[in-house]
C-alpha cells in the first residue's frame, strides 16, 4: 500500500482530532495535532507573562522561539501521543479555557507560524501521516493526497466542547465556550497570515448531524481510495 499525506482542516471543535486519531490508528500512520503545538506556545507565553499583545510581549516571545522545543511522545498507558514543551508533558494544561482564549492571537504571529510549519513539514517528510489543523491543506502540505475540510455549526461545536470540558472537571458555562468558539473562528478566518480557509481541492464535510462513527467511516473510505 502506498503511503500518503492526509490533511484535516476546519473550524475549532469540529471533531477533527477524534477522526484523525482513529484514521491514523487504522492506517498505521503517525497522527499530529498541530493545534496542540500552537497551544503549547501559548502556554509558554502565559507562563512567562508575555500575554497582552503589546509589541514588547510579542517581541519577547519571538526572541525566545529558538529555545522553545516541542515534541510529541506516546504515553504507553493511554496509547495517545502527548505534547511536550521543553521536555515537560503539558498535554493536560493546554486544553483549558485560559489557553483557548489566547491561542488564536499567538497563532496569528508570523514568526510562531513559521517555526511550527517548518517542524510540521519535517514530521511529514516520509508521508504516512494524518495532520489536523487550520492550514494543513493550504500551507503545510499543499500537495497532500487527501484534504478534508470539516465544518459544523458553532452551536454544535460549542456543545461538543462544553461536554468534553465538563467531563474533565472544568468549571465553565456553555455560553463561555460558545463565545470562545466564535471568537477563534473569527480570528482564525480573518488573520493576515495563513487564514483558515478550505483548500480548493479539499472535500468539505459538514458533520453537524453525523455520528462519530458515520464521520469516521466516510473519511476512512476517502482515505482508502487514495492508498
Ligand atoms: O485545533 P485547536 O482548536 O486545538 O487549535 C487551537 C488554535 O490554534 C486554533 O484556534 C488556531 O488559532 C490555532 N491553529 C492554527 N493553525 C493550525 C492549528 C491550530 O492557527 N494549524
Amino acid at each position: 500500500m502506498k503511503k500518503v499525506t492526509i490533511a484535516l482542516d476546519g473550524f475549532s471543535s469540529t471533531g477533527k482530532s477524534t477522526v484523525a486519531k482513529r484514521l491514523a490508528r487504522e492506517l498505521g500512520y503517525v497522527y499530529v495535532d498541530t493545534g496542540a503545538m500552537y497551544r503549547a506556545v501559548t502556554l509558554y507565553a502565559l507562563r512567562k507573562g508575555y500575554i497582552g499583545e503589546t509589541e514588547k510581549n510579542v517581541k519577547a516571545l519571538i526572541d525566545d522561539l529558538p529555545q522553545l522545543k516541542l515534541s510529541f511522545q506516546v504515553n504507553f498507558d493511554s496509547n495517545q501521543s502527548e505534547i511536550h514543551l521543553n521536555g515537560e508533558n503539558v498535554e493536560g494544561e493546554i486544553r483549558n479555557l485560559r489557553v483557548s482564549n489566547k491561542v488564536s492571537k499567538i497563532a496569528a504571529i508570523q514568526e510562531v507560524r513559521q517555526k511550527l510549519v517548518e517542524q510540521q513539514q519535517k514530521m511529514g517528510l516520509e508521508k504516512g501521516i494524518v495532520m489536523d489543523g487550520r492550514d494543513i491543506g493550504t500551507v503545510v502540505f499543499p500537495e497532500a493526497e487527501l484534504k478534508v475540510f470539516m465544518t459544523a455549526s458553532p452551536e454544535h461545536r460549542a456543545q461538543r466542547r462544553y461536554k468534553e470540558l465538563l467531563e474533565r472537571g472544568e468549571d465553565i458555562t456553555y455560553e463561555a465556550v460558545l463565545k470562545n468558539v466564535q471568537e477563534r473562528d473569527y480570528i482564525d478566518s480573518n488573520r493576515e497570515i495563513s487564514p483558515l480557509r478550505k483548500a480548493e481541492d479539499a472535500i468539505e464535510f459538514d458533520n453537524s448531524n453525523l455520528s462519530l462513527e458515520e464521520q469516521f467511516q466516510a473519511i476512512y473510505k476517502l482515505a482508502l481510495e487514495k492508498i
Side-chain angles (χ1 to χ4, degrees):
M1 253 194 304
K2 115 171 178 251
K3 277 192 176 177
V4 299
T5 301
I6 301 177
L8 274 179
D9 286 303
F11 292 100
S12 57
S13 308
T14 39
K16 297 185 296 292
S17 63
T18 309
V19 171
K21 269 184 215 163
R22 183 160 165 210
L23 205 55
R25 201 169 54 234
E26 299 283 342
L27 298 171
Y29 277 21
V30 171
Y31 163 62
V32 178
D33 171 1
T34 62
M37 299 171 77
Y38 289 95
R39 286 172 179 274
V41 175
T42 305
L43 178 67
Y44 176 87
L46 277 166
R47 285 178 172 178
K48 285 279 195 176
Y50 295 160
I51 294 292
E53 295 69 37
T54 62
E55 236 175 81
K56 191 167 152 250
N57 285 340
V58 171
K59 183 173 181 307
L61 176 62
I62 293 170
D63 287 347
D64 284 2
L65 285 176
Q67 290 104 268
L68 220 146
K69 299 274 174 288
L70 300 175
S71 61
F72 286 95
Q73 289 177 30
V74 175
N75 174 333
F76 290 104
D77 290 331
S78 61
N79 208 20
Q80 305 268 354
S81 139
E82 298 181 332
I83 191 150
H84 287 59
L85 167 65
N86 292 339
E88 176 194 350
N89 185 342
V90 291
E91 187 65 39
E93 252 186 278
I94 57 166
R95 315 268 165 204
N96 63 31
L97 214 50
R98 185 167 159 255
V99 172
S100 299
N101 280 336
K102 293 292 174 192
V103 62
S104 290
K105 298 248 169 75
I106 297 292
I109 300 171
Q110 181 176 13
E111 288 81 353
V112 170
R113 300 205 72 81
Q114 197 182 330
K115 177 184 171 87
L116 299 195
V117 167
E118 262 174 35
Q119 186 174 349
Q120 290 153 10
Q121 288 173 332
K122 277 192 197 141
M123 291 191 270
L125 275 179
E126 290 177 22
K127 299 196 174 230
I129 194 162
V130 183
M131 197 172 272
D132 78 30
R134 303 292 186 287
D135 59 342
I136 312 305
T138 49
V139 175
V140 182
F141 298 125
E143 310 298 330
E145 286 84 352
L146 175 62
K147 299 180 187 177
V148 177
F149 189 82
M150 290 176 71
T151 63
S153 73
E155 290 75 16
H156 274 97
R157 292 185 282 126
Q159 196 53 254
R160 198 177 292 157
R161 191 94 192 113
Y162 175 58
K163 244 184 91 200
E164 260 172 42
L165 290 169
L166 277 189
E167 279 162 14
R168 296 212 337 235
E170 292 227 12
D171 180 22
I172 33 132
T173 62
Y174 166 75
E175 287 69 29
V177 177
L178 178 62
K179 184 164 171 272
N180 174 254
V181 161
Q182 288 169 326
E183 274 173 10
R184 284 202 284 146
D185 284 358
Y186 182 81
I187 302 175
D188 292 347
S189 310
N190 290 286
R191 68 180 172 223
E192 240 169 74
I193 316 144
S194 315
L196 169 63
R197 63 177 174 78
K198 176 183 160 300
E200 262 172 37
D201 51 349
I203 297 164
E204 186 161 343
F205 198 82
D206 184 330
N207 67 20
S208 300
N209 297 309
L210 293 180
S211 70
L212 271 180
E213 187 59 31
E214 287 168 328
Q215 283 174 57
F216 171 74
Q217 290 302 339
I219 296 176
Y220 186 52
K221 190 163 164 259
L222 293 174
L224 290 180
E225 285 164 12
K226 300 285 177 184
I227 60 183

